[in-house]
Amino acid sequence: MKSFLLLSRIFFYSCSGLCFLLIPLFLLPSFVDEILGAGRKPIPPLSWGEAGPQWEENILAKYEKNEVNYNSNYVNEYIKSIAGKPLLDWKKHGKGHSPYVCLAKLACGQEVNEVNEYLQQLEPWSGSGSTWFGYKGDYDFTEVVLTKILYLFGHKQELIYPETLEHLLKVLLVEEGGKPREMVPRSLGWVRDTENHHLMTESSRYLKNQWLFKYGSTTIAPGKHEYDNKINGLEKWLVNYLDEMLLNGEYEFNSIPYLLYAVQALLNLDAYPDSEEIRTRAHKILDSINWKYALGSSQFRRCAPFRRRFEYANTTLLVIDPHTALMRWWCLPESDNAPGKEETRYSRILFAVLSPYTVPPIVKKWAIEKPYDYFVQIGYGENSTPEIYSGSSEYLISAGGVYRGLRAMIIPRPTTLLLNDGEIDINRCFHIKGRGKWWCWNNTGVYKKFAVGNASVHIPPQYSPIIQEGLWAIFEPECAKNFYICIYNDRNFGLIYLSDNKDLSPNQLLSEIISKNPSKEEIYSSFVFLDGRKIEYDVNAPAGTWVIKSVDGKEVDRHYDKWERWSGNIPVNLYQE
């Protein structure tokens, strides 16, 4: 052993220059990924939590067997509106237009011959995976649609001709085999690809393999082991990937627009695999994603933190994310009267329309109207942001989250109070932005019927206080019959408290609040509720630390990187009728 250590020292000192040059080569991949990467970084597994959804497998199987039903007048009208569009140049419009038009035309049996002729003369317009300056990718956006065409119509020769089917399998669907591609193409294996690209690419690979293994093609006999996803290892990889996504949450949570593309891949994995393991996991992830939306939205409007893209940081509309369009579809007919319909982007609900998945009964019920007061905390693990909501049938307080650095790509939002007033622009809602630019915010100061932050509360122009004294103001909107909105506003401090004590007059309420919170100095660090409970907070808490410090003298767990996945007084059986 001593001889080995001696030889190691001699080698190090003799070749110290070479060692010095080699060290950066080992560090370079991590550095490149830190600068350019947008894929999931490994984190320790989260605890699911007692408030996490629970599924009875027999009930889940019943809902998984639903048939695609797109024969209603509403759906026909929508599909025909897309089917009526022209098939444009593939190289220019093969990502976001023409594949969907093909899908719609076939779904309603329109221009079938033209669609087949169009598909037969196509070649892949690029490679799959992320696009960057050294590689043109994004073809997996097209593949995920072509995969749906394959499985919806591949056995219907009156819709997909045999020559077209062969061209799909041999030319247009480029992924096959058992080796998933985890890294960005041509990045030397240094940059992990993003979640939506993983799901689109590998779901298409998995389902093409399954088709060839079961049915073969004109040149490939059925039953070849290289296309058996259990033998080639792809199913095991995909099961592990979906497990991590379910337990730790989707990495591109609430993303505009990337969550939509992840959902499209998950809809395919929910509908078409023979593997119950794959279908069940995809279904549970879809349920979890949509359950979060139901909890974090009001009248199909929301203002939640999200990961990717920075250009949406200052958006003011509360209805433009594609997930809202999907949820409005799944929650018909009640959602049809929700505000913001004219602003909602419906361009991608075609995938959901042509999929058997729908949201569980509890998710639909809570998306439309919350049955009771609730408080929920949703964790995402290390170097992320939690989602925190306090809500009821009349209001939703949504924490805006926290920026965690360039690599994390998290965009915090203002802490927002949504009322049942139908407002779809954040400037017409009570909210607290946070001090400075959005990348300085830690907008996690939300508790039950309470929010606090290190910037003043924005007062919507349509609301005026019914009483005001000093920095306190009381509001009583017509849409809030069961509570008062109490605001404390200073230049670098804002507080929102919802009081449901309607037995007090506004004058009495304000007098009670001031009597319990007489010190201007203490209000910046603590607040006493009408029932005597005291909440303490630090509005300038650093990233990674919950703004709330204690409630009624009991310290809270402020390290939200370690929070459970689900915590709160919410239903856990999503399929309860």
Side-chain angles (χ1 to χ4, degrees):
M1 184 65 180
K2 290 182 179 180
S3 300
F4 175 77
L5 291 174
L6 179 61
L7 289 173
S8 298
R9 289 174 181 173
I10 292 172
F11 175 80
F12 178 80
Y13 288 117
S14 302
C15 305
S16 57
L18 179 61
C19 292
F20 182 78
L21 292 174
L22 289 176
I23 287 173
L25 293 179
F26 288 104
L27 298 178
L28 188 57
S30 297
F31 175 76
V32 171
D33 182 69
E34 194 68 28
I35 297 299
L36 302 177
R40 178 188 295 272
K41 298 188 75 172
I43 63 171
L46 302 181
S47 171
W48 188 243
E50 293 183 359
Q54 299 173 10
W55 292 270
E56 297 178 31
E57 299 304 329
N58 60 331
I59 293 178
L60 190 60
K62 182 183 80 170
Y63 281 89
E64 285 183 334
K65 292 176 183 176
N66 288 344
E67 294 291 330
V68 177
N69 179 14
Y70 50 88
N71 293 321
S72 69
N73 290 334
Y74 179 94
V75 173
N76 274 332
E77 183 180 344
Y78 172 73
I79 295 177
K80 286 179 179 179
S81 70
I82 299 176
K85 296 179 180 180
L87 292 167
L88 302 177
D89 179 77
W90 184 248
K91 289 186 177 180
K92 291 183 180 179
H93 302 281
K95 177 180 177 180
H97 174 82
S98 291
Y100 294 95
V101 176
C102 289
L103 179 60
K105 288 182 186 294
L106 292 172
C108 61
Q110 180 176 319
E111 300 176 42
V112 172
N113 191 56
E114 289 80 356
V115 171
N116 277 268
E117 289 180 354
Y118 179 78
L119 289 172
Q120 287 176 32
Q121 53 85 33
L122 297 177
E123 300 283 339
W125 53 266
S126 70
S128 56
S130 290
T131 289
W132 59 292
F133 63 82
Y135 174 78
K136 182 180 180 182
D138 289 351
Y139 183 66
D140 41 320
F141 286 90
T142 300
E143 280 192 283
V144 77
V145 186
L146 295 177
T147 299
K148 181 166 283 292
I149 289 175
L150 172 67
Y151 274 84
L152 279 179
F153 313 116
H155 290 300
K156 301 176 181 179
Q157 291 191 14
E158 72 277 13
L159 293 176
I160 290 290
Y161 303 161
E163 305 93 321
T164 309
L165 177 60
E166 183 67 16
H167 192 69
L168 274 173
L169 293 169
K170 188 175 181 179
V171 178
L172 293 180
L173 291 170
V174 299
E175 317 297 343
E176 62 179 53
K179 186 177 181 181
R181 187 181 60 245
E182 299 188 38
M183 313 308 284
V184 172
R186 299 182 187 173
S187 68
L188 303 178
W190 292 355
V191 180
R192 185 172 175 81
D193 216 333
T194 59
E195 183 175 75
N196 72 92
H197 280 293
H198 281 159
L199 288 169
M200 289 188 294
T201 300
E202 302 313 324
S203 65
S204 298
R205 187 193 311 278
Y206 183 94
L207 290 169
K208 179 184 175 182
N209 283 347
Q210 177 179 277
W211 184 283
L212 290 174
F213 182 72
K214 290 177 69 176
Y215 310 114
S217 70
T218 58
T219 58
I220 299 173
K224 284 200 169 186
H225 286 180
E226 61 195 278
Y227 299 114
D228 185 335
N229 290 311
K230 292 184 181 295
I231 293 176
N232 65 28
L234 187 60
E235 179 159 326
K236 181 180 179 181
W237 181 91
L238 192 54
V239 164
N240 290 336
Y241 193 95
L242 295 176
D243 276 342
E244 182 179 8
M245 194 175 177
L246 176 64
L247 294 174
N248 289 348
E250 65 279 14
Y251 190 72
E252 295 172 325
F253 59 89
N254 305 334
S255 177
I256 307 173
Y258 297 118
L259 180 64
L260 168 72
Y261 301 115
V263 166
Q264 290 186 163
L266 290 166
L267 288 172
N268 277 354
L269 291 175
D270 168 74
Y272 306 126
D274 293 333
S275 166
E276 184 178 346
E277 284 192 284
I278 297 294
R279 291 198 319 274
T280 299
R281 284 164 171 79
H283 198 107
K284 288 180 177 180
I285 294 170
L286 288 166
D287 284 354
S288 296
I289 290 171
N290 294 326
W291 182 220
K292 283 197 302 96
Y293 183 97
L295 295 169
S297 64
S298 174
Q299 296 181 317
F300 297 91
R301 307 161 298 155
R302 67 169 175 173
C303 188
F306 59 92
R307 196 191 297 271
R308 304 182 72 193
R309 297 170 27 181
F310 294 140
E311 59 263 39
Y312 292 104
N314 296 314
T315 185
T316 63
L317 283 177
L318 305 173
V319 295
I320 65 166
D321 61 302
H323 198 179
T324 291
L326 291 170
M327 287 297 291
R328 291 182 75 119
W329 159 253
W330 284 318
C331 293
L332 285 172
E334 293 86 348
S335 61
D336 202 40
N337 296 321
K341 182 177 179 179
E342 66 283 354
E343 297 287 348
T344 304
R345 297 177 178 176
Y346 285 104
S347 58
R348 291 295 181 268
I349 70 167
L350 181 65
F351 228 81
V353 170
L354 298 177
S355 297
Y357 175 85
T358 191
V359 295
I362 290 294
V363 172
K364 181 174 181 178
K365 181 177 181 179
W366 278 64
I368 294 166
E369 185 176 9
K370 316 302 189 273
Y372 56 79
D373 284 14
Y374 67 99
F375 177 69
V376 62
Q377 299 162 290
I378 303 168
Y380 285 96
E382 286 184 359
N383 205 40
S384 191
T385 181
E387 293 186 56
I388 311 171
Y389 302 107
S390 172
S392 77
S393 61
E394 289 191 303
Y395 72 88
L396 175 73
I397 302 177
S398 173
V402 57
Y403 178 70
R404 301 302 297 272
L406 187 63
R407 176 59 173 83
M409 294 188 175
I410 295 170
I411 294 89
R413 302 289 289 138
T415 296
T416 307
L417 170 62
L418 298 177
L419 303 172
N420 289 347
D421 53 10
E423 297 294 348
I424 63 171
D425 192 297
I426 195 172
N427 291 318
R428 294 183 63 81
C429 302
F430 293 90
H431 66 266
I432 306 172
K433 280 190 172 182
R435 189 183 307 167
K437 301 295 185 180
W438 58 264
W439 52 84
C440 301
W441 297 351
N442 180 7
N443 286 354
T444 59
V446 168
Y447 193 64
K448 301 172 184 177
K449 300 181 181 179
F450 179 84
V452 68
N454 62 2
S456 60
V457 180
H458 170 83
I459 308 298
Q462 72 273 28
Y463 292 129
S464 299
I466 55 175
I467 187 172
Q468 203 164 359
E469 183 174 334
L471 299 177
W472 281 104
I474 306 294
F475 296 81
E476 190 179 16
E478 291 185 7
C479 62
K481 301 295 185 183
N482 295 312
F483 61 87
Y484 295 107
I485 302 173
C486 311
I487 303 290
Y488 188 92
N489 237 351
D490 205 351
R491 189 164 62 96
N492 292 317
F493 180 80
L495 181 151
I496 302 173
Y497 167 48
L498 305 183
S499 171
D500 56 6
N501 194 335
K502 297 290 282 193
D503 294 332
L504 298 176
S505 69
N507 283 326
Q508 292 172 324
L509 173 65
L510 185 55
S511 178
E512 281 286 318
I513 290 176
I514 292 175
S515 69
K516 292 182 180 299
N517 299 276
S519 170
K520 183 177 179 180
E521 289 72 27
E522 290 185 9
I523 196 71
Y524 294 102
S525 59
S526 64
F527 176 75
V528 179
F529 295 95
L530 290 183
D531 61 7
R533 292 177 304 126
K534 183 178 182 180
I535 187 169
E536 295 182 292
Y537 39 81
D538 175 9
V539 294
N540 296 310
T545 305
W546 190 18
V547 165
I548 307 302
K549 295 173 65 176
S550 68
V551 178
D552 204 19
K554 296 181 180 179
E555 292 186 356
V556 298
D557 178 9
R558 304 184 68 198
H559 188 30
Y560 45 69
D561 283 1
K562 301 292 186 181
W563 279 2
E564 295 177 334
R565 182 81 181 109
W566 301 89
S567 176
N569 60 324
I570 53 176
V572 296
N573 185 353
L574 302 184
Y575 284 86
Q576 182 178 350
E577 297 287 356

